[in-house]
Amino acid sequence: DLRQAILLAKGRAGSAVLADDLVLLGDLLHARGDPLAAARAFDAAHAVRPDRLRAVGLAARSLIAAGRFRDAGERLDRYLAEASPAPGK
């Protein structure tokens, strides 16, 4: 059960497994028609593993589906800021 796996992995800070499980949960929630819950799962995945930038884009997609365009724009701005290489790199 995915929710049980997420609960078990929560004790591991920076867990790649937890982040991946949260992205999977977000995908399932989005497909089920619950884009706000999906966005929360994607945001949680990014919080656990900031290197999971894909989760930010997926959160934006779910927020657009929910009609939360301002919030989606904030996620897209974050995505662009984090995906852009730092000056001089």
Side-chain angles (χ1 to χ4, degrees):
D1 170 89
L2 183 57
R3 290 186 192 268
Q4 184 65 24
I6 290 169
L7 289 174
L8 291 173
K10 276 191 175 181
R12 295 184 220 140
S15 170
V17 171
L18 175 58
D20 292 344
D21 286 350
L22 287 166
V23 167
L24 180 58
L25 176 62
D27 283 337
L28 293 170
L29 290 167
H30 186 90
R32 191 178 78 186
D34 194 349
L36 291 177
R40 287 190 296 272
F42 295 131
D43 285 342
H46 185 251
V48 170
R49 289 293 299 257
D51 62 325
R52 295 299 200 264
L53 194 53
R54 178 176 170 264
V56 178
L58 292 170
R61 175 198 67 176
S62 292
L63 290 165
I64 289 168
R68 303 278 296 269
F69 302 111
R70 183 179 310 261
D71 294 330
E74 291 171 4
R75 297 313 185 288
L76 292 172
D77 288 343
R78 182 185 312 155
Y79 180 90
L80 290 173
E82 293 182 25
S84 300
K89 289 192 176 182

